[in-house]
């Protein structure tokens, strides 16, 4: 779930809330082959920017800028770039937000290779869509590169160190740092457990969201507040609009061993049908976050 707050208006990127339905019921598959050419690849991370980005070559052309997002499945490339590169169409997919997973039909395209400064992905399938002009403006780049595309490797978002690290290796629960399970259900995005007051939510880690904690609107009355929730704007996805609320919790939110005292909470009705919560970069930027897709673990280390 990718949320971009443009004060006082909140715009939700459609790719954040993209889910898949027939025609093709699944997100794009992982690359046919993933190659790390060195022991470790280090990329720049601008911690002051609303979302991380990477530069990648496609079929030897580019590089092109993409958002690197833990809150997106697979790879979604802007339709104008897919046409510019003459990418062959290999199928169709239906995507949308949780309120209507089949809201729009998009092309599914294939590329021979993606190269990211020492990482090569071969045989890549992506969805191609034409985002509204407003979304192009605030997302930047030519599409959304889900971090699941790098699932063969450990991927670290080191916000304090201003770098992204891609390397071989595994996480273990015996690690001295805060490691929590990060697992997917029903072919969806992996989630972790976040306790807000006395309520526990399955929660997406979303580097593409500049906000902090976002919860379903139907959970708003379950908490006590230092600042009661008020409407702060309107949200919009590819196929729906909704009101966005914000309030300050009188209490704690807990993520494994990490405690957030009296955090701000956002609420949106789009999450009501799933019950999922979302953690964005406003909270993530204080941590070094390492993702291990293969073992379903994520490590949070505070510097």
């Amino acid at each position: 779930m990718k949320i971009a707050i443009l004060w006082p208006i909140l715009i939700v990127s459609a790719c954040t809330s993209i889910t898949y339905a027939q025609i093709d019921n699944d997100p794009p598959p992982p690359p046919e082959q993933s190659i790390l050419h060195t022991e470790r690849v280090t990329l720049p991370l601008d911690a002051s920017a609303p979302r991380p980005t990477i530069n990648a070559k496609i079929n030897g052309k580019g590089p092109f800028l993409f958002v690197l997002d833990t809150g997106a499945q697979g790879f979604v490339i802007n339709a104008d770039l897919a046409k510019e590169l003459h990418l062959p169409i290999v199928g169709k997919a239906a995507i949308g937000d949780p309120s209507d997973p089949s809201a729009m039909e998009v092309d599914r395209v294939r590329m021979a290779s993606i190269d990211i400064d020492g990482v090569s992905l071969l045989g890549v399938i992506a969805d191609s869509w034409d985002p509204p002009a407003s979304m192009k403006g605030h997302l930047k780049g030519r599409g959304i590169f889900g971090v699941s595309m790098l699932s063969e490797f450990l991927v670290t978002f080191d916000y304090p160190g201003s770098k992204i690290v891609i390397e071989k290796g595994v996480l273990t629960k015996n690690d001295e740092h805060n490691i929590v399970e990060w697992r997917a259900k029903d072919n969806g995005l992996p989630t972790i457990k976040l306790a807000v007051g006395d309520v526990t939510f399955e929660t997406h880690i979303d580097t593409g969201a500049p906000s902090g904690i976002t919860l379903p609107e139907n959970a708003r009355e379950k908490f006590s507040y230092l600042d009661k929730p008020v409407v702060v704007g309107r949200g919009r996805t590819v196929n729906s609009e909704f009101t966005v609320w914000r309030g300050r919790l009188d209490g704690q939110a807990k993520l494994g061993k990490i405690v957030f005292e009296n955090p701000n909470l956002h609420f949106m009705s789009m999450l009501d049908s799933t019950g999922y919560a979302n953690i964005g970069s406003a909270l993530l930027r204080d941590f070094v976050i390492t993702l291990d897709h293969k073992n379903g673990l994520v490590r949070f280390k505070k510097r």
Side-chain angles (χ1 to χ4, degrees):
M1 190 70 52
K2 198 172 343 120
I3 302 161
I5 297 181
L6 307 180
W7 186 258
I9 302 299
L10 182 144
I11 297 177
V12 178
S13 155
C15 290
T16 351
S17 15
I18 281 182
T19 56
Y20 288 81
Q22 297 292 351
I23 301 166
D24 192 321
N25 196 43
D26 297 321
E32 293 175 1
Q33 190 174 1
S34 300
I35 303 169
L36 190 64
H37 297 287
T38 62
E39 286 296 315
R40 171 182 294 194
V41 170
T42 302
L43 307 172
L45 169 62
D46 183 357
S48 65
R51 51 187 64 83
T53 57
I54 57 170
N55 284 291
K57 290 185 177 182
I58 296 178
N59 294 348
K61 297 180 180 179
F64 306 101
L65 185 70
F66 299 100
V67 173
L68 180 61
D69 192 358
T70 59
Q73 291 177 276
F75 184 22
V76 181
I77 185 172
N78 289 2
D80 58 352
L81 180 56
K83 292 176 182 177
E84 178 183 328
L85 296 173
H86 305 289
L87 300 180
I89 297 172
V90 296
K92 298 285 185 180
I95 61 176
D97 70 21
S99 68
D100 184 0
S102 57
M104 61 183 294
E105 181 181 305
V106 298
D107 291 328
R108 188 153 279 186
V109 298
R110 178 180 173 84
M111 52 205 77
S113 65
I114 297 177
D115 292 290
I116 311 167
D117 289 340
V119 179
S120 294
L121 307 176
L122 307 180
V124 178
I125 302 295
D127 287 334
S128 169
W129 79 303
D130 186 18
S134 59
M135 290 183 180
K136 286 182 180 179
H138 81 262
L139 279 178
K140 310 297 183 185
R142 307 296 295 274
I144 308 292
F145 192 91
V147 75
S148 60
M149 296 288 290
L150 300 169
S151 60
E152 290 296 308
F153 314 115
L154 293 183
V155 180
T156 297
F157 292 83
D158 184 348
Y159 284 91
S162 299
K163 60 186 176 181
I164 298 165
V165 178
I166 304 168
E167 60 189 331
K168 296 178 181 179
V170 297
L171 296 180
T172 66
K173 289 186 178 180
N174 294 326
D175 192 285
E176 69 273 18
H177 302 296
N178 187 37
I179 292 183
V180 296
E181 290 191 352
W182 182 56
R183 302 192 183 279
K185 296 179 181 179
D186 301 324
N187 205 27
L189 288 168
T191 62
I192 57 176
K193 293 188 181 299
L194 172 71
V196 181
D198 296 327
V199 184
T200 299
F201 295 90
E202 295 291 340
T203 303
H204 294 136
I205 303 169
D206 191 356
T207 56
S211 57
I213 298 173
T214 303
L215 304 176
E217 186 179 327
N218 58 15
R220 198 176 73 236
E221 302 301 324
K222 296 182 178 180
F223 309 107
S224 299
Y225 298 95
L226 296 178
D227 298 319
K228 291 185 177 181
V230 296
V231 174
V232 294
R234 296 284 297 173
R236 181 175 183 177
T237 69
V238 65
N239 56 284
S240 62
E241 293 187 6
F242 44 86
T243 301
V244 180
W245 298 74
R246 185 179 66 189
R248 188 180 174 205
L249 180 70
D250 183 6
Q252 297 178 333
K254 296 180 180 179
L255 178 59
K257 300 175 183 177
I258 300 169
V259 177
F260 303 101
E261 296 284 352
N262 310 126
N264 283 322
L265 305 177
H266 286 85
F267 298 91
M268 60 173 65
S269 60
M270 189 190 67
L271 297 177
D272 288 354
S273 62
T274 66
Y276 288 132
N278 192 75
I279 295 180
S281 61
L283 292 184
L284 299 177
R285 66 178 69 252
D286 291 330
F287 297 92
V288 180
I289 304 149
T290 301
L291 308 170
D292 183 348
H293 278 84
K294 284 187 173 182
N295 293 293
L297 297 171
V298 58
R299 178 177 65 203
F300 293 85
K301 181 179 178 182
K302 194 161 187 176
R303 283 191 174 178

